[in-house]
Amino acid sequence: MMRNYILKCVYALVLLMLYDAGSIHGEVKCIEKERQALLSFKEGINDPWDVLSTWRDDDCCKWQGIVCSNQTGHVLHLHLHGWGSHYLIGQANISMLIDLKNLEYLDLSYNDFFDSHISKHIGLFTKLRYINLSYCGFFGNIPYQIGNLSQLQYLDINHNYLDGAIPYQLKHLGQLQYLGLRGYAEFSGTIPFQSGDLPLLHTLKLGGDFVLKTKDAEWMSNLSFLKNLDFASLSIGNSYQWLQMIRKHILKLTELRLSNCNLSDNDVEFLVDIHSNYSFIPSLTILDFSYNMLTSSTFQLLSNFGSNLRELYLSHNSIDLSHLHYTNFPSLASLDLSYNNLSSSVFQGNFNFGSNLQELDLSNCNLMDTSFLMSSTSIMNSSYSLVVLHLSSNLLKSSNIFHWIFNFTASLHTLDLSGNLLEGPIPNSLDKAMNCVEYLDLSNNKLQGEIPHFFGNICTLQTLNLHMFHELYLSYNQITGVIPKSIILLSELESLTLQNNSLQGEITESHLTALSKLKYLHLSQNSLSLKFVPGWNPPFQLIDLRLASCRLGPSFPSWLYAQNNLYSLDISDAGINGSVPEWFWYKLQVVGYSLNMSHNNFVGAIPSLPLRFPLTAACIDLSSNKFEGAIPPFLLHSSSLILSKNKFSDISSMLYESNTGRNLGTLVLANNQLKGLLPDCWDSISSLLFLDLSNNNLIGKIPPSIGSLVKLEALVLRNNRFTGKLPSSLKNCTNLFLLDVSENFLSGPIPSWIGESLQQLIVLSMSGNLISRYTFNITVMWKGVKCGFKNPELRLNSIDLSSNHFTGEIPNEIVYLVGLVSLNLSRNNLSGEIPSQIGNITSLESLDLSRNHISGTIPSSLSQIDNLGVLELSNNSLYGRIPPGRHMDTFDASSFEGNHNLCGTQLNKTCPGDMPEVKPQEPTRHDDADDNSDFYEALYMSLGFGFFTGFWGLLGPLLFWRSWRIAYLRFLNQVADYIYVTVAVYVAKFHKTARGVQY
């Protein structure tokens, strides 16, 4: 009996142990307190792609991304790694997870937590061994509390927007093996580690604008387990200590990345010039020297030591392969030589790519068609395994490049020829050669003709287990015709971009029915019409849809109702009329990049809905429609909001909603029907950079809270009915480069703080107001030589103060605005003279001082401004000579008219005191000739008339009347006889006289 009792007790104990161990399926569940913590964390997350769709059931241990202890039910791992187009958006408030006391593994990488901060509460998760927060969009500083995580082995916060100093408390992480501190922003200060800190580190990724010290190099020299070293933007070039440290480790490193480190050829030679016992660096497989100052000699050197290299990145250097000796990288699988000058020698036999090469990037290398002459059969055979080839942004013209490429490799999956000069049609002979291509980018070329039908035939080879098109880019070409229906055969297609061509015709559901994997569809700027049967449900879920200028109307496209993942949508200028269905506005909670519905004919009010956008915040353009009523607050969740050219009438409800515009940078409400007073609550959108309220009916004073927009760079309030003075709070907007308050009813003088505080101002326009005092306080604004400038190269380049009531003189200090391009002070009551040194403003292109009371002479220095293209000095009281020389003679009389005492060639008016002009001899003869020509012209006309009268007066009768002719001939005979007798008598007398003399 006792024995049975003992056996039962033992059996019960075993069951209890099994229960505690979780061996009985379904018995161990997550802790409710921890479940609630996860749900609280989820509340701050926007999950448009249902990554957290399983976070609903009672047992959080079964949720996606959660790993619990089989024994206790505590949450141990949180795997929320984003991938592809599926990721989380919103606020990653790690403090909500504070009850996960046993958390060991935290991975939030590749999500979009833009503008979030890494919570200081992360230091309370003392059991954490792994933290990966890379590619999350975090801002701010690294919380020093991370230094409390004594068990941490892996810390990756790469590629965020973190800045500031690296907390010295991180040196306490004695178990750390991986440290990633590279970012899009730059860390600063000093590297806080000393010799002996982080002794187990095997991977160090560091980037920033650090003050490098010798102790830092000594610390790294003592990292005996270091295998992977990645420096970015560290100026270690010519630094012996740092180069010596890297040289010490280089024989043990498997990965070395020194991008943008100011390296020269000598620095690299020092690094790899190791002991003569080594003809190569044995363990190094990945080498990145991109963004440096390296030449071909480094490339030649690396070929001697890099026989084991698998990846080599040398983009953005000064490498020219035209004079290389034979180079060989037999193990190389990936090579990036983009943004170098490779000329034409890279394929001419002096470079061996190696039979293992799979990825080759030669983008932006000035390659031409002659670079691809197949002069060596060994080259063709050596890269038979090439899978990825980038040749974008070169100078390729001939479509023969396609034949060369597919003779060069038979395994190509990715081909990028975008941004070249390719002409003509895509050769149809490529149908068999492109069986393996998944990614094809031919955008931004000059390709013509129709889309080849063989693109669709590629997918018919699926039975041969060949890969099919995944991505096809033909945008920005000159492709014509229709989209072939054979495109339906591209069943694996994920991206189709054909925008900015000359395609036409209709697209129906028969084109797209089989494209179930389609995610990116770009057809903008063609002449296409999308006509789908009512109720059509697309088989795909698009992420990016761009149909600008395509015909979608006249009614709103109802097939968009089924699209739940749209991150970017452009249906502008699509011929859509009527109202927007309410269901569509709810779709905006997913849109995180852009929404463009402009240039349609949408009408009605936008409903006020409790919506919010992703914290990346979309750019929304609803301009050029007929939306009306109040602007709903949910639109302020965007980063850019353009609502111009509509019929909106109320802005108040939008601004009174607190914390709606925290990410709004651009707000354009021009050309609406806004009326009444402008609300005084602009501090709710303090991140605003650009504000345009022009061409409305706003009245009253400009509210002081406008000055709370301290990040504002452009403020446009023109053509309203604002009164009073500019609010002094605007002086807080020190980043303003454009201030336009023209065409209002503002009064009073221009305040001095414009010059004192707005040092970044480029454009100032206050024309068409009631400003009556031209005190202008410009001696404060443009302080001149005596006081000097805060910024000697003041950026102000446009001033428009026309059509006001300014009086007084133009201040001499204006000549110190050396960057001024345009100055318009016309239509005021200015007096005095034009500053004599105005020629110092050599950048001036337009000067308008017309319709004032300016007197004096025109300064001769004005003729020294070679860029001056517009000059208006008319209707003043200027006098004296218009300065001659240079381009001043190119201005006509209209530039100077209305100044009665001005003189000069432009006005065709001689100046008083000028000497009579002595004309050159040749012009004098020319003038005399003109006078004589009149005389001779009259003489010749008289002779002609006399000849006509005399000739025909005598001969006419003789020819037509016989009696006149006989009488005339008799007269001639008598005259002839008379002459003969007279001559004979005189001859006889002459002979007689001559004989008398002889005797």
Side-chain angles (χ1 to χ4, degrees):
M1 192 73 176
M2 180 62 69
R3 181 180 179 183
N4 292 336
Y5 177 78
I6 294 174
L7 288 175
K8 289 180 180 180
C9 291
V10 172
Y11 182 73
L13 182 61
V14 170
L15 288 177
L16 182 60
M17 293 176 63
L18 289 174
Y19 178 83
D20 289 340
S23 299
I24 300 177
H25 178 71
E27 292 297 326
V28 178
K29 296 183 178 180
C30 72
I31 310 301
E32 178 61 21
K33 191 175 183 180
E34 298 183 5
R35 177 179 176 274
Q36 292 300 324
L38 291 170
L39 292 176
S40 298
F41 176 76
K42 180 185 176 182
E43 287 181 1
I45 300 295
N46 192 351
D47 185 18
W49 294 284
D50 291 331
V51 176
L52 306 180
S53 59
T54 60
W55 286 33
R56 298 188 182 96
D57 301 331
D58 293 337
D59 190 1
C60 65
C61 293
K62 297 179 180 179
W63 292 354
Q64 177 71 31
I66 304 298
V67 175
C68 295
S69 169
N70 290 331
Q71 299 174 350
T72 64
H74 287 299
V75 176
L76 301 180
H77 291 193
L78 183 56
H79 297 267
L80 294 180
H81 178 89
W83 55 276
S85 60
H86 291 72
Y87 52 88
L88 301 174
I89 301 171
Q91 285 280 9
N93 193 349
I94 298 176
S95 63
M96 294 291 99
L97 302 173
I98 196 66
D99 288 324
L100 305 183
K101 303 292 186 181
N102 294 277
L103 194 64
E104 299 176 358
Y105 188 103
L106 176 63
D107 187 354
L108 301 177
S109 60
Y110 290 91
N111 287 293
D112 196 347
F113 302 136
F114 188 78
D115 204 25
S116 295
H117 293 75
I118 301 177
S119 173
K120 63 181 180 180
H121 295 97
I122 196 171
L124 300 177
F125 299 89
T126 55
K127 294 186 178 181
L128 275 174
R129 293 182 289 108
Y130 182 101
I131 297 178
N132 190 348
L133 303 178
S134 61
Y135 294 96
C136 284
F138 284 116
F139 273 79
N141 300 327
I142 302 174
Y144 71 86
Q145 289 84 355
I146 292 180
N148 298 333
L149 307 178
S150 58
Q151 300 184 41
L152 197 63
Q153 300 176 13
Y154 187 103
L155 176 60
D156 187 353
I157 51 178
N158 286 317
H159 303 289
N160 285 286
Y161 297 91
L162 302 170
D163 54 17
I166 298 176
Y168 72 90
Q169 289 87 350
L170 296 189
K171 69 180 182 178
H172 300 308
L173 303 178
Q175 301 297 315
L176 200 64
Q177 301 176 27
Y178 182 106
L179 178 60
L181 297 177
R182 286 191 55 177
Y184 298 122
E186 289 189 343
F187 295 112
S188 58
T190 60
I191 298 175
F193 308 120
Q194 299 179 357
S195 181
D197 293 340
L198 311 182
L200 302 180
L201 209 60
H202 64 70
T203 297
L204 175 60
K205 298 187 176 185
L206 187 63
D209 185 18
F210 295 108
V211 178
L212 301 179
K213 298 182 178 181
T214 303
K215 72 173 184 63
D216 304 327
E218 293 177 354
W219 164 66
M220 295 183 191
S221 297
N222 295 323
L223 297 177
S224 57
F225 294 99
L226 197 62
K227 297 292 184 182
N228 306 301
L229 184 59
D230 183 352
F231 287 162
S233 302
L234 294 184
S235 299
I236 62 175
N238 295 320
S239 175
Y240 175 80
Q241 292 86 357
W242 284 80
L243 295 175
Q244 180 66 29
M245 177 273 296
I246 298 173
R247 175 175 166 152
K248 176 181 177 180
H249 287 291
I250 200 167
L251 290 178
K252 298 181 297 181
L253 293 177
T254 59
E255 178 180 352
L256 176 61
R257 298 181 183 269
L258 301 176
S259 62
N260 196 22
C261 288
N262 294 326
L263 294 179
S264 65
D265 292 334
N266 291 334
D267 298 328
V268 176
E269 183 177 1
F270 178 79
L271 288 177
V272 300
D273 185 19
I274 50 183
H275 300 293
S276 59
N277 297 335
Y278 297 95
S279 59
F280 61 92
I281 304 174
S283 59
L284 194 63
T285 58
I286 300 176
L287 183 60
D288 184 354
F289 284 160
S290 57
Y291 292 89
N292 282 292
M293 302 175 290
L294 307 178
T295 67
S296 302
S297 60
T298 289
F299 191 73
Q300 184 77 57
L301 178 66
L302 294 177
S303 68
N304 299 330
F305 290 93
S307 58
N308 286 342
L309 279 179
R310 295 280 298 165
E311 300 177 24
L312 178 59
Y313 304 96
L314 294 171
S315 66
H316 294 85
N317 279 285
S318 301
I319 297 174
D320 183 352
L321 301 183
S322 58
H323 303 293
L324 276 183
H325 300 294
Y326 185 79
T327 54
N328 184 29
F329 293 91
S331 303
L332 209 59
S334 180
L335 174 63
D336 185 356
L337 290 173
S338 59
Y339 292 86
N340 284 286
N341 184 18
L342 302 187
S343 67
S344 61
S345 63
V346 65
F347 298 109
Q348 301 302 318
N350 59 347
F351 183 82
N352 182 13
F353 287 106
S355 59
N356 295 314
L357 190 66
Q358 297 182 7
E359 299 184 14
L360 177 61
D361 192 343
L362 301 177
S363 303
N364 212 311
C365 287
N366 295 319
L367 296 175
M368 298 181 289
D369 294 335
T370 54
S371 305
F372 296 90
L373 297 176
M374 289 182 292
S375 59
S376 173
T377 57
S378 62
I379 298 178
M380 181 180 65
N381 296 327
S382 63
S383 292
Y384 202 72
S385 61
L386 195 65
V387 174
V388 178
L389 178 60
H390 293 281
L391 296 173
S392 63
S393 302
N394 281 292
L395 303 173
L396 305 175
K397 293 184 178 181
S398 174
S399 58
N400 291 331
I401 185 65
F402 295 108
H403 300 287
W404 183 92
I405 290 171
F406 292 109
N407 284 325
F408 190 75
T409 177
S411 306
L412 200 62
H413 290 180
T414 296
L415 174 60
D416 186 356
L417 285 168
S418 62
N420 279 281
L421 304 171
L422 296 175
E423 300 174 336
I426 302 174
N428 284 318
S429 57
L430 296 181
D431 54 347
K432 294 182 180 180
M434 301 181 70
N435 289 330
C436 295
V437 174
E438 298 178 0
Y439 175 103
L440 177 63
D441 191 347
L442 302 177
S443 61
N444 292 281
N445 279 284
K446 297 181 179 180
L447 294 171
Q448 299 172 337
E450 299 184 354
I451 299 176
H453 288 270
F454 70 79
F455 279 164
N457 297 333
I458 294 174
C459 294
T460 62
L461 299 176
Q462 184 178 6
T463 56
L464 299 178
N465 295 321
L466 295 178
H467 291 278
M468 294 161 284
F469 264 177
H470 285 193
E471 302 181 47
L472 175 61
Y473 298 88
L474 296 174
S475 57
Y476 295 93
N477 280 286
Q478 301 171 23
I479 298 174
T480 58
V482 299
I483 297 178
K485 288 190 176 181
S486 59
I487 202 168
I488 193 176
L489 300 174
L490 298 174
S491 58
E492 296 294 314
L493 198 63
E494 297 178 0
S495 180
L496 177 61
T497 66
L498 301 173
Q499 75 262 29
N500 289 84
N501 281 287
S502 299
L503 296 169
Q504 55 188 354
E506 294 183 356
I507 296 179
T508 65
E509 62 275 3
S510 61
H511 287 85
L512 306 174
T513 297
L515 306 184
S516 60
K517 297 184 179 181
L518 196 63
K519 293 183 175 64
Y520 302 88
L521 179 60
H522 298 174
L523 302 176
S524 297
Q525 308 306 323
N526 285 287
S527 298
L528 297 170
S529 296
L530 278 70
K531 295 186 177 180
F532 303 137
V533 296
W536 179 62
N537 189 14
F540 45 73
Q541 284 292 323
L542 295 174
I543 295 174
D544 192 343
L545 176 61
R546 303 182 190 182
L547 301 175
S549 80
C550 295
R551 297 299 92 187
L552 300 181
S555 59
F556 194 88
S558 59
W559 58 273
L560 290 177
Y561 180 81
Q563 300 302 304
N564 299 316
N565 296 338
L566 279 174
Y567 190 69
S568 178
L569 175 63
D570 187 350
I571 53 173
S572 61
D573 191 21
I576 306 175
N577 302 323
S579 59
V580 179
E582 185 170 315
W583 58 259
F584 176 78
W585 300 113
Y586 283 97
K587 300 288 183 182
L588 299 188
Q589 295 184 98
V590 178
V591 174
Y593 180 68
S594 68
L595 170 66
N596 191 345
M597 299 169 60
S598 64
H599 295 88
N600 283 288
N601 194 26
F602 293 122
V603 299
I606 301 176
S608 183
L609 302 173
L611 304 178
R612 60 177 301 181
F613 295 114
L615 286 181
T616 50
C619 300
I620 297 179
D621 188 351
L622 305 180
S623 62
S624 299
N625 283 287
K626 295 179 181 178
F627 289 116
E628 59 186 29
I631 301 172
F634 75 85
L635 290 178
L636 288 185
H637 285 291
S638 58
S639 63
S640 175
L641 182 58
I642 302 176
L643 303 177
S644 55
K645 296 184 179 180
N646 279 285
K647 296 182 178 180
F648 290 112
S649 57
D650 183 12
I651 194 177
S652 302
S653 59
M654 176 184 70
L655 292 176
Y656 287 143
E657 185 80 19
S658 61
N659 297 323
T660 55
R662 190 165 57 89
N663 298 304
L664 188 64
T666 298
L667 178 59
V668 180
L669 297 172
N671 296 92
N672 276 280
Q673 298 177 3
L674 301 177
K675 56 188 177 181
L677 298 173
L678 195 60
D680 192 13
C681 51
W682 289 90
D683 50 353
S684 62
I685 50 175
S686 57
S687 62
L688 207 59
L689 302 175
F690 185 96
L691 175 60
D692 186 353
L693 300 174
S694 61
N695 300 308
N696 282 287
N697 295 309
L698 298 168
I699 63 174
K701 295 183 178 181
I702 300 174
S705 62
I706 286 281
S708 65
L709 305 177
V710 295
K711 297 181 180 180
L712 200 64
E713 297 179 357
L715 176 61
V716 184
L717 302 177
R718 68 179 300 131
N719 197 20
N720 279 282
R721 300 172 63 187
F722 289 118
T723 57
K725 301 178 180 179
L726 286 177
S728 60
S729 59
L730 273 178
K731 65 183 178 182
N732 300 324
C733 304
T734 57
N735 294 315
L736 270 177
F737 68 84
L738 185 152
L739 177 59
D740 185 353
V741 292
S742 58
E743 308 300 329
N744 281 285
F745 297 93
L746 300 175
S747 58
I750 296 179
S752 61
W753 50 258
I754 288 183
E756 295 170 347
S757 302
L758 307 186
Q759 292 288 311
Q760 304 299 315
L761 203 61
I762 294 177
V763 177
L764 173 63
S765 181
M766 303 183 70
S767 63
N769 280 284
L770 302 175
I771 300 175
S772 58
R773 293 171 53 200
Y774 192 75
T775 56
F776 198 22
N777 291 321
I778 204 162
T779 54
V780 179
M781 178 176 182
W782 300 311
K783 298 172 185 176
V785 175
K786 293 181 179 179
C787 299
F789 288 112
K790 293 180 180 178
N791 183 358
E793 298 178 358
L794 197 60
R795 297 173 57 191
L796 189 66
N797 67 15
S798 179
I799 299 177
D800 185 355
L801 302 175
S802 60
S803 301
N804 278 285
H805 297 164
F806 288 124
T807 59
E809 300 182 358
I810 301 175
N812 289 322
E813 288 83 357
I814 200 171
V815 304
Y816 299 111
L817 292 176
V818 294
L820 199 63
V821 174
S822 175
L823 176 62
N824 189 351
L825 302 177
S826 63
R827 298 176 184 272
N828 282 285
N829 295 310
L830 301 176
S831 58
E833 298 184 356
I834 301 174
S836 60
Q837 299 301 316
I838 196 170
N840 292 347
I841 314 177
T842 56
S843 59
L844 201 62
E845 297 178 5
S846 177
L847 175 63
D848 190 350
L849 304 178
S850 62
R851 297 184 182 277
N852 281 284
H853 305 292
I854 300 173
S855 58
T857 60
I858 300 176
S860 60
S861 65
L862 198 60
S863 64
Q864 300 172 7
I865 307 177
D866 294 330
N867 295 323
L868 194 62
V870 177
L871 177 63
E872 288 291 341
L873 301 177
S874 59
N875 296 291
N876 279 286
S877 301
L878 297 169
Y879 59 82
R881 183 190 304 277
I882 299 173
R886 295 198 182 183
H887 63 289
M888 288 295 290
D889 296 333
T890 63
F891 299 113
D892 57 26
S894 63
S895 297
F896 308 100
E897 63 186 6
N899 294 277
H900 302 297
N901 294 321
L902 271 182
C903 57
T905 57
Q906 294 89 340
L907 296 173
N908 196 22
K909 182 178 180 181
T910 304
C911 295
D914 286 352
M915 296 295 293
E917 187 174 359
V918 179
K919 299 183 178 179
Q921 187 66 28
E922 186 174 353
T924 301
R925 290 198 302 268
H926 178 73
D927 293 338
D928 292 340
D930 289 341
D931 296 336
N932 292 335
S933 66
D934 295 335
F935 169 77
Y936 285 116
E937 183 178 359
L939 175 63
Y940 294 148
M941 290 178 64
S942 301
L943 289 174
F945 181 77
F947 177 78
F948 176 83
T949 303
F951 183 80
W952 287 106
L954 174 64
L955 294 183
L958 295 179
L959 292 174
F960 296 102
W961 289 298
R962 185 171 179 269
S963 58
W964 281 54
R965 185 166 57 250
I966 293 172
Y968 184 72
L969 291 175
R970 287 176 179 173
F971 172 76
L972 289 179
N973 288 333
Q974 292 175 357
V975 171
D977 291 341
Y978 175 78
I979 292 174
Y980 175 77
V981 170
T982 301
V983 172
V985 171
Y986 278 104
V987 171
K989 288 181 178 180
F990 176 77
H991 286 292
K992 184 177 181 180
T993 302
R995 285 196 299 267
V997 172
Q998 292 177 356
Y999 293 113

